[in-house]
Amino acid sequence: MANSDRIYIFDTTLRDGEQSPGVSLNVDEKLEIAHQLTRLGVDIIEAGFPIASPGDFAAVKKIADNIKGAVVAGLCRANFKDIDRTWEAVKGAETPRIHTFIATSDIHLKYKLQKSREEVLEQAVEAVKYAKKYCSDVEFSAEDASRSDIDYLALLIEKVIEAGATVVNLPDTVGYAVPDEFGLFIRTICERVPNIDKAIISVHCHDDLGLAVANTMAGIMNGARQVECTINGIGERAGNAALEEIVMNLYTRRSFYKKDININYQEIYRTSRLVSTLTGMPVQPNKAIVGQNAFSHESGIHQDGVLKERSTYEIMSPELVGVKSSKLVLGKHSGRHAFRERLKELGYKLTEEELEKAFVKFKDIADKKKEISDDDLEALVNEQVRAVPERFSLEYLHISSGTSIVPTATVKLNIEGNILEAASTGDGPVDAACHAIDKITDIYGKMHDYKLNSISGGKDALGEVIAKIEIDGKLYTGRGLSTDVIEASVKAYINAINKYYYEKQLNRSS
């Protein structure tokens, strides 16, 4: 057929995708996804399996009656009753398709169908002829094609094309094939079927061995011109070939594949989110193209490269698939370059000395917290960079506390390079730690106000303690940050003592 470089995208999210365990979409949800698929630009939407249930029939019919711009297909077994029901569902479509199938592997013939090869061949041909009376666009699928006898399959395909099939689908139904083998399988069929040019060859690959996309791409390289896939790769068992991965392979490596597709790439991410939301199937963070981490960088080396030239570590633009921008995840692997750039974005202009001071604190927090948010950074800068010089800093803190024991704290402070230690008891763990600090510093404070705020969300949220401490009759505001609220409280107390000491030194010098 004309334009052998054109690849048609056949989306079966609403049929095979809905067969994912635990997924059940209602009619309106299916229609919403179908509208989004047309915005994405898929060529064919397989709307469902009309004879499976009244609800499935209603959904396929509603999609067929409302969708414009894409072929709407309904799946049916190779029998007249199924075909009648499918036609009733899809006949209102702008461009309808009947998709009929029967298994062709010997294992399916023997154990599932209990039919001979000859019986199955005859049934397949009669089904295509019958569907052709209703509809000019008829697709035939040879279920479990990749495990079928190649000579028998080639003969069957020749006959269904003679009967009027416009598309012949060769599925790897159980995900058993490997790319080299599957590519050779498709090429062999193209070579052995004399009238193969009268139909489009399609592939439908499952992901049981994690090779669905790889097998699909091998099929394309060897003559397939339609690919059957789902959003986020959802479907039976381990799922199907993921649409977003196939189309971005064809786009990103177009100089290699040299194939054309009709996809609105900016709708990829939006479509993924919609399907995930309505099916209740979350997208794994490291999922290619649409996963949360797909355009995220935490390694300091990677972040530095991306900031200098995006193509060093990104082979595609996040904006292309509808993601606003790549994301530099600040964590324990991040470097100074990414840290500096994020602070600039937040409006902070720091000296090299201030930056180094903040970076050291950032690394300390990053060892305790998986990801540092912008709120965390702002709190960190305000605490570290805007702070008075530290004469006293916390080196070590150990708390012993419970419902039936007296709270006890052991504290080590670094005082201008000297490590001093003390232990004390108190009404609670924070009070005990403060008493221990009093012993070491010989500065005695009294807490008048105490506020604890969560800087960011999650179990590892950064806690901010703001406390007003009275020392020698004057109130000093202390501030402390940590993922541990007791540590944050102790740091706030030490911060107030440092302010007292700093002010005392200034008064002496003046």
Side-chain angles (χ1 to χ4, degrees):
M1 299 180 77
N3 191 7
S4 60
D5 291 336
R6 174 75 156 90
I7 301 297
Y8 296 92
I9 306 298
F10 178 111
D11 184 275
T12 184
T13 302
L14 297 174
R15 199 276 300 169
D16 200 329
E18 202 205 10
Q19 291 173 205
S20 302
V23 173
S24 180
L25 299 167
N26 63 39
V27 173
D28 291 335
E29 289 170 335
K30 285 190 172 185
L31 182 61
E32 185 178 356
I33 291 173
H35 278 302
Q36 181 58 35
L37 290 172
T38 61
R39 288 189 285 271
L40 178 61
V42 305
D43 299 291
I44 305 100
I45 298 172
E46 186 164 58
F49 198 161
I51 206 165
S53 71
D56 227 32
F57 176 87
V60 176
K61 189 175 191 319
K62 190 164 188 177
I63 291 168
D65 292 346
N66 287 276
I67 289 298
K68 306 297 179 188
V71 174
V72 177
L75 185 69
C76 52
R77 292 166 296 188
N79 66 62
F80 295 171
K81 182 180 178 182
D82 274 35
I83 294 169
D84 289 339
R85 189 67 169 161
T86 294
W87 177 244
E88 282 299 313
V90 302
K91 66 181 181 181
E94 184 178 61
T95 313
R97 175 182 292 184
I98 294 174
H99 181 192
T100 188
F101 75 96
I102 194 169
T104 55
S105 68
D106 287 336
I107 192 169
H108 276 247
L109 266 60
K110 179 178 179 180
Y111 294 105
K112 187 178 80 171
L113 300 178
Q114 298 179 342
K115 292 180 182 291
S116 67
R117 289 182 177 182
E118 291 74 19
E119 288 174 313
V120 166
L121 190 152
E122 181 181 359
Q123 187 174 339
V125 169
E126 289 305 311
V128 171
K129 286 181 178 178
Y130 188 76
K132 197 73 176 180
K133 294 177 182 177
Y134 285 131
C135 186
S136 61
D137 189 2
V138 175
E139 177 172 346
F140 173 80
S141 282
E143 186 184 7
D144 207 24
S146 61
R147 293 195 298 173
S148 300
D149 177 78
I150 195 75
D151 295 324
Y152 171 65
L153 186 61
L155 174 63
L156 185 143
I157 291 169
E158 179 185 354
K159 296 303 180 184
V160 296
I161 292 174
E162 283 180 4
T166 50
V167 179
V168 174
N169 182 37
L170 302 173
D172 181 31
T173 303
V174 293
Y176 182 71
V178 295
D180 287 349
E181 174 189 50
F182 192 69
L184 177 61
F185 165 66
I186 298 299
R187 185 165 72 248
T188 302
I189 290 295
C190 290
E191 292 170 351
R192 290 199 189 181
V193 177
N195 58 353
I196 198 70
D197 61 321
K198 300 291 194 300
I200 290 173
I201 292 295
S202 178
V203 291
H204 179 127
C205 299
H206 278 263
D207 209 34
D208 297 73
L209 293 176
L211 296 170
V213 172
N215 284 331
T216 299
M217 304 316 292
I220 289 172
M221 291 299 292
N222 287 278
R225 289 182 45 228
Q226 176 179 287
V227 292
E228 307 196 359
C229 45
T230 61
I231 302 300
N232 301 334
I234 65 174
E236 289 271 13
R237 305 181 312 280
N240 291 266
L243 180 147
E244 59 277 2
E245 295 177 27
I246 294 169
V247 300
M248 290 312 295
N249 263 277
L250 292 171
Y251 176 86
T252 306
R253 300 304 310 277
R254 55 194 178 280
S255 61
F256 176 78
Y257 290 107
K258 296 181 172 64
K259 301 296 180 184
D260 300 320
I261 51 176
N262 182 35
I263 286 291
N264 181 4
Y265 299 96
Q266 286 74 27
E267 295 292 334
I268 290 174
Y269 187 74
R270 187 176 293 110
T271 309
S272 169
R273 297 273 75 78
L274 176 65
V275 170
S276 176
T277 299
L278 294 183
T279 60
M281 295 186 71
V283 176
Q284 68 196 62
N286 62 324
K287 168 77 172 63
I289 317 300
V290 293
Q292 178 184 330
N293 297 345
F295 297 99
S296 297
H297 309 272
E298 183 179 337
S299 163
I301 295 171
H302 287 217
Q303 290 175 340
D304 182 63
V306 168
L307 288 166
K308 291 173 178 174
E309 169 52 49
R310 176 182 278 182
S311 63
T312 54
Y313 288 101
E314 284 187 1
I315 61 171
M316 66 192 89
S317 162
E319 292 86 356
L320 178 64
V321 299
V323 177
K324 289 182 180 179
S325 65
S326 54
K327 179 182 179 185
L328 300 183
V329 177
L330 292 181
K332 66 179 182 179
H333 300 112
S334 299
R336 285 174 177 79
H337 192 171
F339 182 70
R340 180 189 288 110
E341 288 301 311
R342 181 61 66 82
L343 289 181
K344 281 183 181 178
E345 291 172 5
L346 294 173
Y348 291 101
K349 296 180 180 179
L350 306 183
T351 65
E352 284 301 315
E353 183 181 350
E354 289 173 333
L355 182 72
E356 183 61 29
K357 189 177 181 181
F359 185 70
V360 170
K361 180 63 178 176
F362 159 74
K363 281 290 191 178
D364 179 53
I365 294 173
D367 276 332
K368 304 173 185 176
K369 196 173 189 294
K370 291 181 180 178
E371 185 175 332
I372 309 299
S373 71
D374 289 345
D375 290 336
D376 293 333
L377 286 179
E378 290 180 351
L380 183 155
V381 170
N382 289 330
E383 180 204 37
Q384 290 297 115
V385 177
R386 313 306 180 205
V388 298
E390 280 192 328
R391 182 170 192 257
F392 310 101
S393 61
L394 181 65
E395 192 76 18
Y396 171 84
L397 171 66
H398 176 79
I399 297 293
S400 178
S401 182
T403 57
S404 58
I405 61 173
V406 176
T408 304
T410 302
V411 176
K412 285 183 183 179
L413 292 185
N414 186 323
I415 305 176
E416 298 178 345
N418 298 311
I419 306 299
L420 299 178
E421 180 180 6
S424 186
T425 60
D427 293 334
V430 174
D431 188 50
C434 291
H435 288 329
I437 293 168
D438 293 344
K439 286 183 179 180
I440 296 170
T441 63
D442 199 30
I443 299 172
Y444 296 85
K446 181 179 180 182
M447 193 173 293
H448 280 265
D449 191 25
Y450 178 94
K451 292 180 181 177
L452 171 63
N453 302 311
S454 177
I455 298 298
S456 51
K459 291 187 292 185
D460 61 353
L462 198 60
E464 175 191 51
V465 170
I466 299 174
K468 290 185 178 180
I469 312 298
E470 182 185 349
I471 306 174
D472 288 350
K474 184 176 180 179
L475 288 177
Y476 296 86
T477 300
R479 196 165 178 273
L481 287 175
S482 177
T483 53
D484 182 298
V485 295
I486 295 176
E487 182 182 351
S489 303
V490 171
K491 285 182 174 181
Y493 189 74
I494 295 171
N495 180 236
I497 291 176
N498 276 314
K499 288 182 178 180
Y500 163 78
Y501 182 82
Y502 180 66
E503 185 179 277
K504 189 175 180 180
Q505 295 302 109
L506 285 176
N507 291 335
R508 282 179 178 175
S509 61
S510 61

